[in-house]
Amino acid sequence: MQTIQVYYISLSGNTTSFLKDLDHYFQQEYQKRLRYINVKDLIKDKKSIAFEIKKHYFAFLPSYLEGGNGIDTGDTEILTTPLRQMIAYSKNREYCLGIVGSGNRNFNKQFCLTAYQYAKEFGFPVLDEFELKGTETDIKRIAEKIDRRLTEVSV
């Protein structure tokens, strides 16, 4: 069974919950599985985030921002910067096939803004976005986009 590597941050548990459901869906529908690593756990376990990634992966990132409305009056990424540092290390950005953003639509223009900032900074696409723990529709749509992206790079 093919394994799809995912690096992510989950602070509230929503992204972890989404990835568990996505993994289950991938196993049933695509005969593939996710291997997902919460970068927050690496920090908690005192493991380095300065390591080289040598194979393709996807990133999942919730938006945690402070400072204005996130667009024209400023924004500062908070709590999720270890994922940024890991992607920025060495040539890790080159192996990222895309990022999926998550957040809460109550934050209007800040919804998934951090994922779009990463995409611009590192040069990979935003594949999609979902709110909170996501829905079945989100899972199916995002699985399809991830699978399509894997096919594109293996051709």
Side-chain angles (χ1 to χ4, degrees):
M1 189 176 287
Q2 182 183 1
T3 300
I4 301 166
Q5 184 66 53
V6 173
Y7 292 98
Y8 74 104
I9 290 273
S10 185
L11 303 171
S12 65
N14 286 339
T15 305
T16 299
S17 177
F18 183 85
L19 286 168
K20 284 179 184 177
D21 292 343
L22 184 63
D23 180 38
H24 181 74
Y25 184 78
F26 259 112
Q27 289 181 50
Q28 287 193 326
E29 300 299 323
Y30 292 87
Q31 290 68 56
K32 297 176 184 178
R33 68 178 316 130
L34 298 184
R35 180 175 181 260
Y36 45 99
I37 297 174
N38 190 345
V39 176
K40 179 188 86 169
D41 291 340
L42 297 177
I43 301 293
K44 185 175 75 178
D45 294 341
K46 298 184 180 1
K47 294 182 180 172
S48 175
I49 55 170
F51 60 90
E52 289 188 32
I53 298 171
K54 300 269 188 190
K55 66 183 218 174
H56 292 300
Y57 68 94
F58 295 91
F60 279 68
L61 177 68
S63 287
Y64 288 94
L65 301 167
E66 68 179 2
N69 67 10
I71 304 296
D72 50 274
T73 57
D75 65 78
T76 303
E77 177 185 7
I78 58 171
L79 307 175
T80 58
T81 54
L83 183 63
R84 177 186 299 275
Q85 294 164 348
M86 188 206 73
I87 292 171
Y89 183 77
S90 189
K91 295 182 181 181
N92 291 349
R93 73 184 73 211
E94 295 174 17
Y95 291 95
C96 186
L97 297 179
I99 192 163
V100 176
S102 65
N104 186 327
R105 292 190 192 281
N106 288 342
F107 294 104
N108 300 315
K109 291 181 179 179
Q110 289 188 3
F111 176 70
C112 297
L113 179 62
T114 314
Y116 288 92
Q117 291 171 334
Y118 277 38
K120 183 177 180 182
E121 177 181 348
F122 295 121
F124 45 69
V126 174
L127 297 178
D128 211 320
E129 54 192 37
F130 65 94
E131 184 176 25
L132 302 174
K133 290 184 179 184
T135 65
E136 278 188 44
T137 302
D138 295 329
I139 288 166
K140 290 176 185 177
R141 184 185 69 249
I142 290 170
E144 183 179 304
K145 288 181 180 183
I146 288 172
D147 192 61
R148 186 178 324 125
R149 187 76 174 116
L150 285 169
T151 303
E152 290 170 2
V153 297
S154 65
V155 173

